[in-house]
Amino acid sequence: MKKKLVKEILKYYLNSQSYKGYTLPQLYEQYQDISEIKNIIIELIKDNFLDLYYCTTNHFVKNFDLNISLEQKIDFINNLPNSYKPEIWEEIKIDEKNSIKLVCDNILPPISLFPTSNIIKEYIKNKPKYYKLPPFNKMLLEGMPHLHFLYFRIDVLNRFLYDPRYVVYNMDFTGSIYYKVDNSDNEKDENNIYLSHFGLAYNSKTNENVITIFPHDLVKLSLKHQYYFYSYLFDNQEDFVPDISYYKNVMGEIADGISIFSAFFEEMKLINKMFDIICGKKLFKKIFEYSQENRPEYFHPFMMPTKTMYHNFCRTIYRILVEQLDRDAIIAFAQKIKVELDNIEKTRPMTLLQQLFSKGFKTLDGSDIGKEIISIWKKELHECRNKISHSFVDDIYATNIFEKYRNTINEAYKSLRLIRLVLSSIPEIKDAIKNDEIEISEELYLGNINMYFAPLKRLQ
């Protein structure tokens, strides 16, 4: 009886679409003496021949590794009724002899039985039908949950991020990829791909950014694309964790905070409104029309830890802000608050901005606000921008560059936020905020900002 039951469940599993489990109604329909079958199932679970999957949303497919304890599995089986007759919910007549009966099986718990990975591997061993399967199809076949977090090197995305034939929808902690070439033969094009979900994750030991993708999504790719992704799969999957925002998103929860990339442009818009109220001009000539589908190149957390990539990242930030500063707006603002700027004609806008805040706004502790605002722009960002624009960079790959990404964008954002906070102290701006002419989101007001670079711990 044991062998018969295992064979029945294994056969059903292998022949079903998406590798479905054997449900309790099937069990009750197939076997008369349920009390005996319950004892057999418990023995098979103990001996690692069968596994029990309990899930209130969808127990037919093993989506998650729920880590149900052996004791709990045994309790589930022991508590099953010894007999079961489904309640007919509705009967639809087709003709005098035939009808369709819709039954309600809510008497039984949402449980399915699956063959264990060991049993599956033993059965499919040396069978060409199975060992020739694409890598991620085989992982699902061998019992991996459909929504299991698989971790890949960050540069697996480079092929798509920097190729104009592909669109990468990027929400900072998650995204998707599709091939946008308009061709009637797209499906036959070996470059064609649609990956519905990928997410951000981290190595808990080295703190590097990585990619996580579910096998459920990877099995939909072509054989060639599956092997492409497989070649970037980390050997040791135990060292990684998904980003908390991505994890919440997968679980149907709302992620807290605002992306630092989105916050960057929100702060620029607020500063422009504040400048306009004071002097009728905007500090930034043009603000990038940022969206998940449209973002500046190199302005996202899915980048390799290389010196060249980091310098491109810095140059992008520099272009977003420094190259958009309006000299006339700074001068007009200074005149409105009666601040005299030095050497106006020959001084760069960033230095004029420093003068404006150093002379126009004082702190109780005597610190130089202007210097604090422009420090990151005149040092790290200006230097990196010049190197990548005017000379060759001796490239290196080093995971601690992720911390440099984090520190640089953090300091650049703090600079922007400080401008907005200082401007908010001006009476006219206070009134505009109070009257809702200027609306500051709760995330920006509280500083609830998500970085996405090396967030777990400081690198040694």
Side-chain angles (χ1 to χ4, degrees):
M1 181 66 80
K2 284 185 182 181
K3 288 183 179 180
K4 180 185 176 184
L5 182 58
V6 171
K7 186 176 180 181
E8 183 78 26
I9 292 173
L10 178 62
K11 181 181 176 182
Y12 179 80
Y13 174 83
L14 293 174
N15 292 333
S16 65
Q17 286 188 338
S18 303
Y19 309 117
K20 293 180 180 177
Y22 201 80
T23 63
L24 293 181
Q26 289 174 279
L27 189 73
Y28 279 85
E29 185 178 340
Q30 186 71 17
Y31 298 96
Q32 298 298 317
D33 191 347
I34 295 299
S35 59
E36 180 188 1
I37 288 296
K38 283 163 61 176
N39 291 329
I40 291 173
I41 290 173
I42 289 173
E43 288 181 35
L44 290 171
I45 289 174
K46 285 180 177 179
D47 293 338
N48 202 31
F49 284 93
L50 292 183
D51 193 14
L52 179 149
Y53 187 75
Y54 173 94
C55 186
T56 55
T57 53
N58 178 13
H59 63 281
F60 304 101
V61 174
K62 192 184 289 185
N63 280 327
F64 300 99
D65 188 355
L66 299 177
N67 296 316
I68 303 170
S69 68
L70 177 61
E71 292 77 13
Q72 195 172 4
K73 291 175 183 177
I74 293 171
D75 284 342
F76 276 134
I77 299 301
N78 279 328
N79 291 329
L80 291 177
N82 288 330
S83 62
Y84 164 71
K85 186 176 182 181
E87 177 185 347
I88 297 176
W89 178 50
E90 187 176 355
E91 186 171 359
I92 303 172
K93 291 284 186 182
I94 297 176
D95 50 41
E96 290 184 3
K97 295 183 178 179
N98 300 304
S99 65
I100 297 174
K101 296 179 180 179
L102 302 178
V103 301
C104 178
D105 63 353
N106 59 5
I107 300 171
L108 299 174
I111 286 173
S112 291
L113 297 171
F114 289 83
T116 59
S117 181
N118 291 340
I119 294 299
I120 298 168
K121 289 178 181 179
E122 181 63 30
Y123 179 80
I124 68 174
K125 185 173 62 178
N126 300 326
K127 290 183 174 63
K129 175 182 176 182
Y130 297 112
Y131 72 67
K132 289 183 178 180
L133 283 172
F136 301 108
N137 293 71
K138 193 172 182 184
M139 287 180 187
L140 286 187
L141 169 71
E142 292 178 349
M144 178 177 286
H146 287 239
L147 302 183
H148 179 81
F149 293 99
L150 288 172
Y151 300 99
F152 302 80
R153 287 190 355 236
I154 196 88
D155 49 323
V156 71
L157 294 180
N158 283 3
R159 175 179 175 182
F160 312 106
L161 284 169
Y162 307 110
D163 186 332
R165 294 174 299 172
Y166 298 96
V167 172
V168 180
Y169 287 103
N170 180 347
M171 294 174 62
D172 301 313
F173 58 82
T174 184
S176 59
I177 302 168
Y178 77 85
Y179 191 54
K180 69 174 183 180
V181 174
D182 187 13
N183 185 332
S184 59
D185 294 327
N186 248 4
E187 291 185 6
K188 298 177 183 178
D189 188 338
E190 65 177 11
N191 296 304
N192 188 21
I193 184 176
Y194 175 65
L195 181 66
S196 57
H197 293 98
F198 64 82
L200 188 65
Y202 311 101
N203 186 317
S204 57
K205 292 184 178 178
T206 66
N207 214 18
E208 64 183 299
N209 286 26
V210 302
I211 297 299
T212 183
I213 312 174
F214 296 131
H216 173 81
D217 296 311
L218 289 162
V219 296
K220 299 171 185 175
L221 304 183
S222 68
L223 178 67
K224 285 187 176 181
H225 278 116
Q226 283 205 37
Y227 275 112
Y228 169 77
F229 278 89
Y230 187 73
S231 68
Y232 287 83
L233 184 70
F234 285 104
D235 290 333
N236 184 5
Q237 293 279 304
E238 302 303 316
D239 294 342
F240 303 90
V241 292
D243 177 82
I244 186 63
S245 295
Y246 181 61
Y247 183 81
K248 285 185 175 182
N249 181 262
V250 169
M251 296 302 169
E253 300 176 27
I254 297 175
D256 298 325
I258 182 174
S259 156
I260 195 167
F261 304 99
S262 300
F264 215 85
F265 295 108
E266 291 303 311
E267 297 285 12
M268 291 176 74
K269 291 175 185 176
L270 288 171
I271 291 167
N272 264 2
K273 288 180 181 178
M274 293 175 179
F275 255 69
D276 193 36
I277 287 171
I278 298 300
C279 67
K281 292 182 180 291
K282 294 178 171 61
L283 178 60
F284 305 107
K285 291 176 285 188
K286 185 178 180 181
I287 299 176
F288 189 89
E289 290 297 325
Y290 178 87
S291 68
Q292 306 307 341
E293 298 82 20
N294 183 42
R295 61 175 60 212
E297 195 174 26
Y298 305 110
F299 198 61
H300 56 78
F302 299 103
M303 290 188 292
M304 289 175 64
T306 65
K307 188 182 284 189
T308 298
M309 195 73 80
Y310 171 71
H311 280 65
N312 279 320
F313 172 75
C314 291
R315 180 173 61 177
T316 296
I317 297 176
Y318 194 90
R319 285 174 171 174
I320 288 170
L321 189 138
V322 176
E323 294 183 7
Q324 296 306 321
L325 289 174
D326 188 332
R327 172 191 298 271
D328 294 338
I330 299 170
I331 295 169
F333 194 101
Q335 291 172 346
K336 280 291 183 178
I337 65 171
K338 296 180 171 53
V339 168
E340 186 175 342
L341 302 176
D342 301 328
N343 201 14
I344 291 175
E345 296 303 322
K346 295 182 179 180
T347 304
R348 292 178 177 179
M350 179 54 74
T351 304
L352 289 177
L353 190 69
Q354 179 182 0
Q355 288 186 40
L356 173 64
F357 281 89
S358 294
K359 295 181 177 183
F361 302 92
K362 304 295 181 181
T363 61
L364 294 175
D365 62 3
S367 59
D368 187 335
I369 294 178
K371 187 176 181 180
E372 194 173 338
I373 286 171
I374 63 92
S375 177
I376 185 66
W377 304 99
K378 279 197 168 182
K379 293 179 181 178
E380 180 73 6
L381 287 165
H382 186 264
E383 182 181 335
C384 289
R385 173 252 189 187
N386 281 350
K387 281 184 179 179
I388 198 69
S389 298
H390 305 299
S391 63
F392 294 105
V393 175
D394 293 329
D395 211 7
I396 61 168
Y397 183 104
T399 55
N400 62 1
I401 289 176
F402 283 119
E403 188 175 23
K404 292 194 73 174
Y405 281 126
R406 179 181 177 86
N407 290 340
T408 298
I409 196 169
N410 183 41
E411 291 302 312
Y413 174 71
K414 281 168 60 180
S415 163
L416 262 179
R417 188 168 190 263
L418 182 56
I419 293 174
R420 190 253 301 170
L421 290 173
V422 172
L423 295 179
S424 298
S425 67
I426 300 172
E428 293 97 319
I429 303 300
K430 282 184 177 180
D431 290 340
I433 294 171
K434 186 177 179 180
N435 297 330
D436 293 330
E437 292 176 54
I438 295 175
E439 295 182 18
I440 302 173
S441 69
E442 185 177 358
E443 288 88 355
L444 291 185
Y445 182 78
L446 297 175
N448 191 5
I449 311 297
N450 294 327
M451 291 288 185
Y452 302 119
F453 284 116
L456 302 173
K457 62 181 179 180
R458 289 188 62 82
L459 294 169
Q460 300 300 317

